[in-house]
Amino acid sequence: MKRYLLMALAIVSAASCSRDLGNYDYRNLDEPVISGIEENIERLTQEQLAISPVITGGLSEDSYDYEWKTIDKNGESEGIIIGQEKNLDYKVILSPGEYALYYTLTEKDSGIYWQFESTLKVSSSMSEGWMVLCSDGGRTRLDFISEVTGKTYADVLKDNKDMPAFDGPRKIHWQSAMSFADSPYYLFTDGGATRLGKDSFGWTEEYRMVYEMASMADVAPSMMVSAGFGKLIVGGTDVYYSENMGIRGLYGSPVNKGFRAAPYIGANVSAEQYASVYLLYDMDNRKFMAYCPLLEKNDLGAQEPLAGMDEMGLIAEGLAGTGQESVVGNAFERYPEGYELVYMENTLYDPGNAYMGVTYSVLADGARRYVYGIQLGDMLRFSQCPYVLGKAYYGDISSCSGISGDGVLYAFSSLKNYMYYAVGDTVYGVDLNMSPLSGKVQFKLDGENITCLKFNLFKQSKDRRSYNLIVGSEKDGAGILRVYEGYESDGDFSGVTPEVYGGFAEIVDVTYKERTY
């Protein structure tokens, strides 16, 4: 709480004496005291905010003017007057966020004012919770499990009357870094992509992904990753880069020159970086490729930003100077070639505390399956990452039950060196530190088909929910979401009783919408 008194004073200061005219008007200042207002107030949009302040001392009630004013603490809007009576009775129509709420009493005759400040947090039913992307017979449907109200809201996009139909849902993505403030959520579908509004997933024409493309190409991304000063998307078999150094840039021409790229992008999602190194996979020549867009800058020698993994390591050594190691780890001698990329996932798991989360890849050679773990760092090493690349893990998972079949889903933990995979109605866990590697049944969902398996990487630092396993399943057309606690269970989900949510269509993807205030 803050209380202010403002008076108009005239002060004359001079080296010589001045004449005292002796004309004074003295009176006692009877100062009012404001109470009865909570210092922290929370309301949902459309709820009523009624406050009856208690004023002791001072003059009569009609001697003052009254004002209730809110100012957005994020500076996204100017102050808004929400009341001009002694008591406040206001239906909250402010956008979700955190506001300073000022109550001001101004003495009409003198202009003296007193002020009380509190904090007003405005939420909507959709300020926080699970975004559940479903395929309702091929139609894109977004449901929402509200952490605010405890209710599930179905088909929340249906009120966007002008929004075109986007069939074939793929992903619901939160672009927390380098995002559009009003629309940080991306909907990826077979038919194209669009942003969604931050408050209640509203939509306007300018949100379409085509307006972020320099060529106005109507791409249908399968993935988006940001690191350092830029972000990448994969659309079809092409990878596009957008730079955000000071201003938000557009996606330029495809960066994969002369080859078709797999629909995955590796990046370090665990630390701040400047000259980030990304991981691509060349499907034509069947090998990993490294991409560091800032290598094109004059400060880094205006070099080719796309290179093979070994070549990128040599470039890093040349920039680092004598005696500074660029590539760390010896889990494998050579980067693999000649395999088919089945899956890739970025994690927060950071062996050696090198500020480089492991990017895991599953590679196939016929019926055999292999896991490679590669760490990606910062070419300039100005921030947290002391290395540019890391050879973190190699393992042969070919003996794991059902691993070579069709429709296998994968998920890698950020808690430990663990892999999970789903076959039909069964989830298996693999401790990647064991030898030989084998799958241990975590749980079986009798009669259900698992359609989504993942870990949600929360943006808030050290949020233990990042280790929870998210499982979407389907039975007779009805989707079911389960969340298995991972931190306390140490990644062994076999004895965990999940949180269960129902009432969905077939679940395609799940992402948590966190509060941004």
Side-chain angles (χ1 to χ4, degrees):
M1 186 270 281
K2 296 179 181 178
R3 184 164 51 85
Y4 305 91
L5 171 64
L6 178 66
M7 303 182 67
L9 299 175
I11 300 175
V12 178
S13 175
S16 61
C17 296
S18 61
R19 183 180 179 187
D20 187 345
L21 299 179
N23 185 14
Y24 301 100
D25 180 16
Y26 293 102
R27 68 184 179 89
N28 292 327
L29 180 64
D30 190 5
E31 181 177 347
V33 177
I34 303 169
S35 62
I37 304 176
E38 296 179 25
E39 293 190 15
N40 293 285
I41 304 168
E42 295 188 16
R43 288 293 187 276
L44 289 174
T45 55
Q46 304 303 313
E47 277 190 336
Q48 209 68 20
L49 175 59
I51 304 175
S52 298
V54 177
I55 300 174
T56 56
L59 305 176
S60 62
E61 187 173 310
D62 59 1
S63 300
Y64 301 101
D65 288 323
Y66 303 91
E67 181 183 88
W68 298 86
K69 186 175 185 178
T70 61
I71 297 179
D72 189 338
K73 288 192 174 183
N74 290 324
E76 294 182 6
S77 65
E78 296 180 358
I80 299 173
I81 297 173
I82 62 173
Q84 291 182 300
E85 302 292 336
K86 174 179 179 291
N87 299 331
L88 178 66
D89 190 12
Y90 170 68
K91 185 176 182 179
V92 179
I93 57 173
L94 300 168
S95 298
E98 187 170 299
Y99 297 82
L101 173 62
Y102 294 99
Y103 177 54
T104 305
L105 271 68
T106 303
E107 189 177 301
K108 294 178 180 179
D109 291 339
S110 67
I112 300 170
Y113 74 82
W114 292 262
Q115 195 169 77
F116 189 106
E117 178 186 352
S118 56
T119 296
L120 172 63
K121 291 184 178 180
V122 178
S123 302
S124 78
S125 58
M126 298 181 191
S127 289
E128 181 180 1
W130 290 107
M131 300 180 285
V132 184
L133 183 63
C134 302
S135 176
D136 193 351
R139 180 181 71 89
T140 295
R141 170 177 146 185
L142 183 64
D143 294 353
F144 190 79
I145 305 170
S146 175
E147 183 72 15
V148 178
T149 66
K151 299 178 181 179
T152 297
Y153 301 87
D155 211 357
V156 298
L157 301 181
K158 68 180 183 299
D159 292 332
N160 295 336
K161 302 301 183 183
D162 297 326
M163 182 175 171
F166 288 99
D167 293 333
R170 294 178 176 178
K171 276 187 179 300
I172 182 70
H173 177 79
W174 177 20
Q175 182 62 29
S176 60
M178 297 172 291
S179 65
F180 292 79
D182 67 330
S183 51
Y185 304 103
Y186 282 82
L187 173 65
F188 294 163
T189 73
D190 293 344
T194 184
R195 299 196 311 276
L196 299 171
K198 71 172 183 178
D199 294 334
S200 300
F201 307 110
W203 186 85
T204 66
E205 170 67 22
E206 65 184 17
Y207 287 174
R208 291 171 64 105
M209 190 79 191
V210 65
Y211 297 110
E212 296 183 46
M213 308 297 297
S215 65
M216 295 292 287
D218 194 6
V219 299
S222 55
M223 188 174 191
M224 175 184 284
V225 170
S226 63
F229 290 112
K231 53 188 177 180
L232 290 177
I233 58 171
V234 183
T237 58
D238 285 326
V239 178
Y240 302 87
Y241 174 68
S242 171
E243 190 168 283
N244 296 267
M245 297 183 71
I247 60 172
R248 187 182 298 111
L250 298 175
Y251 290 96
S253 302
V255 304
N256 52 304
K257 300 174 182 178
F259 67 87
R260 295 176 303 129
Y264 298 100
I265 304 167
N268 185 2
V269 296
S270 66
E272 295 181 357
Q273 302 134 75
Y274 290 96
S276 301
V277 180
Y278 296 90
L279 186 67
L280 312 181
Y281 197 79
D282 177 346
M283 292 197 299
D284 294 322
N285 299 296
R286 297 196 169 195
K287 63 179 183 179
F288 288 110
M289 298 290 289
Y291 177 64
C292 180
L294 291 194
L295 281 178
E296 289 185 306
K297 304 297 182 183
N298 290 332
D299 291 346
L300 295 181
Q303 304 181 62
E304 170 60 44
L306 183 67
M309 300 300 292
D310 289 323
E311 183 182 353
M312 188 61 74
L314 292 175
I315 293 172
E317 289 180 7
L319 291 174
T322 305
Q324 188 166 0
E325 189 176 10
S326 297
V327 181
V328 66
N330 56 6
F332 52 89
E333 183 178 352
R334 299 182 58 83
Y335 292 98
E337 293 189 20
Y339 299 136
E340 175 190 355
L341 179 65
V342 175
Y343 181 74
M344 182 187 291
E345 181 177 348
N346 301 312
T347 75
L348 301 174
Y349 180 60
D350 181 18
N353 296 317
Y355 294 98
M356 299 192 297
V358 176
T359 295
Y360 290 95
S361 298
V362 179
L363 300 173
D365 182 13
R368 302 200 66 81
R369 297 290 183 272
Y370 307 96
V371 174
Y372 281 82
I374 296 174
Q375 291 173 289
L376 304 160
D378 187 342
M379 184 66 71
L380 290 180
R381 315 164 207 257
F382 285 169
S383 56
Q384 297 175 319
C385 306
Y387 306 105
V388 176
L389 296 172
K391 299 178 179 180
Y393 182 79
Y394 163 77
D396 185 342
I397 58 172
S398 302
S399 61
C400 294
S401 178
I403 200 71
S404 61
D406 295 330
V408 178
L409 302 177
Y410 298 90
F412 288 85
S413 175
S414 292
L415 179 65
K416 291 185 176 181
N417 198 23
Y418 286 173
M419 181 190 86
Y420 303 88
Y421 67 100
V423 179
D425 62 0
T426 305
V427 172
Y428 299 85
V430 183
D431 184 343
L432 296 176
N433 290 316
M434 301 297 289
S435 182
L437 296 175
S438 62
K440 172 189 174 184
V441 174
Q442 298 290 289
F443 49 83
K444 185 180 178 69
L445 304 177
D446 291 331
E448 300 178 27
N449 180 47
I450 296 172
T451 59
C452 177
L453 185 74
K454 68 179 296 184
F455 292 91
N456 182 83
L457 298 185
F458 284 76
K459 313 303 181 184
Q460 309 295 338
S461 62
K462 298 182 180 179
D463 194 318
R464 292 182 177 182
R465 292 176 295 176
S466 292
Y467 309 128
N468 295 349
L469 183 64
I470 315 303
V471 181
S473 63
E474 174 270 332
K475 184 175 183 179
D476 299 328
I480 303 167
L481 175 67
R482 292 177 174 88
V483 180
Y484 294 80
E485 191 282 326
Y487 186 82
E488 296 294 336
S489 61
D490 204 28
D492 182 356
F493 301 104
S494 59
V496 175
T497 300
E499 298 178 25
V500 182
Y501 308 90
F504 308 102
E506 179 182 334
I507 297 173
V508 176
D509 191 24
V510 182
T511 299
Y512 197 84
K513 181 181 182 183
E514 300 174 54
R515 288 180 184 264
T516 54
Y517 54 87

